[in-house]
Amino acid sequence: MTHPSHSKAVKSGTDATGEWIPWEGGECPVGWRTIVMVRFRYMYTLARKSRPASRYNWHHTGSGGDIVAYRVDVPAPTALPPYEGKP
């Protein structure tokens, strides 16, 4: 499931409207490295820290920890920087 403004969010780094995007569960709607803020089902407050999307469970389980809205804080990089370490 992808919100209509998601494609704009990825290109601009923010939701097209600057508002929260409702989420009904399913596969992660953004790249795993994209930095997001989320709102949970039974919490009045949202996650206080922005984190990579990979840190969250995007599927709904019927618990208070289900994500019900998200917004993109920092888009995922389009490519990884070159590896400069030793193998």
Side-chain angles (χ1 to χ4, degrees):
M1 173 183 182
T2 301
H3 186 274
S5 68
H6 169 67
S7 59
K8 294 177 186 173
V10 171
K11 291 177 186 171
S12 69
T14 60
D15 172 54
T17 62
E19 296 180 11
W20 290 91
I21 300 169
W23 183 247
E24 296 178 6
E27 294 294 321
C28 179
V30 296
W32 284 107
R33 295 178 61 191
T34 302
I35 306 299
V36 296
M37 291 188 79
V38 299
R39 286 184 177 166
F40 298 105
R41 182 181 308 278
Y42 297 128
M43 299 176 109
Y44 291 112
T45 59
L46 52 103
R48 296 183 190 270
K49 292 177 111 179
S50 297
R51 297 183 178 189
S54 62
R55 300 281 307 264
Y56 296 105
N57 177 8
W58 292 89
H59 293 277
H60 282 182
T61 62
S63 73
D66 289 347
I67 295 170
V68 295
Y70 71 95
R71 75 174 169 206
V72 175
D73 270 4
V74 180
T78 54
L80 294 174
Y83 179 73
E84 296 178 6
K86 294 180 181 179

